[in-house]
Amino acid sequence: MESLPDVAAMRAYADELRDMFRQIQDASLELHAKAREVQVTEKSRDGLVSVTVGARGELVRLDLDPRIYRRPDARHLADTITETTHRAVARARERVTEIFEPVIPRAEFEAHLDGDLEAAMNRLADRMEGRT
């Protein structure tokens, strides 16, 4: 027979969620404004490519130093742009996570950003059953 979840733990978690939602509501406008303003610029290792992305990882600006034409290698240029963009997106994601961390636990926010519903639901179940 399965054991029933600990009612006290479920109530405590419900209270914690309610408090978290109140904090989010109170701070949401300010936090969202800060998050929307996030822009990150990364330069390639050789300094010839500069990529700026926004809070969601969208490309805002791409700058190519004219010296890239001295070595016409399209594959290398494409790889450099891709790698530089990935680093910029990772930094933007980290900044947005830091902005929301005071009101949303990091692991839960990252699961949300990853679209990992299973991880989010498992964390919820664990907390409701008092396992975390």
Side-chain angles (χ1 to χ4, degrees):
M1 179 169 145
E2 284 186 41
S3 64
L4 295 175
D6 179 2
V7 175
M10 288 177 66
R11 283 189 181 135
Y13 184 57
D15 290 342
E16 184 180 333
L17 283 176
R18 187 174 41 254
D19 291 343
M20 184 188 332
F21 287 131
R22 282 189 189 132
Q23 287 178 328
I24 292 169
Q25 270 185 319
D26 292 346
S28 67
L29 293 176
E30 180 184 340
L31 294 178
H32 283 270
K34 281 183 182 179
R36 278 192 304 273
E37 292 172 2
V38 168
Q39 284 194 355
V40 172
T41 301
E42 278 287 324
K43 283 195 170 257
S44 61
R45 299 186 197 294
D46 62 7
L48 301 179
V49 174
S50 176
V51 174
T52 301
V53 299
R56 294 182 178 162
E58 71 278 8
L59 184 62
V60 174
R61 184 176 175 95
L62 172 65
D63 292 307
L64 304 174
D65 188 297
R67 293 177 293 161
I68 65 165
Y69 299 111
R70 293 180 187 164
R71 189 174 105 188
D73 182 349
R75 177 76 269 145
H76 176 74
L77 177 58
D79 290 344
T80 299
I81 291 169
T82 301
E83 188 267 333
T84 306
T85 302
H86 286 171
R87 285 191 291 116
V89 168
R91 279 191 45 222
R93 177 184 165 133
E94 178 62 25
R95 275 199 174 148
V96 171
T97 301
E98 288 171 356
I99 288 169
F100 284 98
E101 197 166 21
V103 293
I104 303 173
R106 177 176 282 272
E108 290 178 27
F109 191 73
E110 288 173 345
H112 169 73
L113 289 177
D114 291 338
D116 189 351
L117 181 59
E118 183 178 349
M121 294 306 291
N122 287 340
R123 288 181 56 78
L124 175 64
D126 287 346
R127 292 180 80 175
M128 287 181 72
E129 293 178 8
R131 292 190 296 237
T132 60

